[in-house]
Amino acid sequence: LLTFARGGEPVKKVVSPRHLVDEALSFVLHGSNVKGVVEMPDSIHAFEVDEGQISQVFQNIIINATQAMPGGGKLTITGQNDELYAMNPLSLPAGPYIRLTFSDQGCGISEEDLERIFDPYFTTKSMGSGLGLASVHSIVKKQGGHVGVHSQLGLGTTFEVWLPASTGKVVE
């Protein structure tokens, strides 16, 4: 929240996407009736990010997915190496990226709400603050990436997070 409000610069280090995803899933889904499935090849690149901020991004997306499936369900997180070329539709610099996809089987998001979900203080929840997805958007952008969303009412929601890949080695 402070990063979002102050616009603090990320403190980056080379980390494993698999490690951060597993950690976020374990933390958020503990005691939940939502099943987390991770599909990520061993060959996935590392990325150089602020570990705490990206953990917050993953946790916020996972929390929203669990809240969209109060009766339980499956959250599938896939990761893959990708290459973006100049003039790509995401308006990101060309280069290697990691694309992480978070797909739930929840209630979905209406078209009108999809246009506003990253706006600060916009929420459809009675107990929500509207800062979770606004923080997600702000953090991912500061890390040099992109976040997008696709949803259908009654069928679920998919968030795609694109972050620049790193050639550095993960420090355990």
Side-chain angles (χ1 to χ4, degrees):
L1 182 57
L2 289 174
T3 300
F4 175 69
R6 291 186 193 150
E9 285 305 308
V11 178
K12 295 181 176 184
K13 71 178 194 178
V14 178
V15 293
S16 158
R18 178 67 189 238
H19 171 72
L20 291 185
V21 165
D22 287 344
E23 206 171 66
L25 267 178
S26 173
F27 179 71
V28 176
L29 296 186
H30 183 75
S32 164
N33 57 356
V34 172
K35 180 179 188 221
V37 176
V38 180
E39 299 170 353
M40 205 172 301
D42 292 335
S43 60
I44 192 133
H45 297 304
F47 44 33
E48 190 171 358
V49 294
D50 184 306
E51 188 173 6
Q53 290 181 12
I54 293 302
S55 290
Q56 181 183 345
V57 165
F58 295 169
Q59 289 172 20
N60 282 340
I61 293 172
I62 295 166
I63 287 167
N64 282 355
T66 59
Q67 291 174 344
M69 299 183 287
K74 183 168 85 170
L75 171 63
T76 304
I77 302 172
T78 59
Q80 65 186 62
N81 298 322
D82 222 325
E83 186 77 26
L84 291 179
Y85 299 97
M87 310 273 289
N88 61 73
L90 303 178
S91 300
L92 291 173
Y97 285 81
I98 298 179
R99 179 172 39 160
L100 296 166
T101 306
F102 298 74
S103 297
D104 68 46
Q105 300 172 323
C107 56
I109 304 168
S110 72
E111 261 187 69
E112 310 94 57
D113 290 347
L114 269 179
E115 295 173 12
R116 301 179 56 207
I117 63 168
F118 296 119
D119 292 351
Y121 303 112
F122 175 77
T123 184
T124 58
K125 302 173 195 164
S126 60
M127 299 296 288
S129 67
L131 293 175
L133 290 177
S135 294
V136 164
H137 185 267
S138 176
I139 290 168
V140 170
K141 191 172 177 115
K142 276 188 174 47
Q143 304 278 337
H146 174 82
V147 60
V149 61
H150 310 284
S151 187
Q152 281 191 288
L153 283 174
L155 297 177
T157 301
T158 298
F159 282 88
E160 282 190 336
V161 177
W162 297 74
L163 291 163
S166 172
T167 57
K169 296 287 180 216
V170 174
V171 178
E172 297 297 330

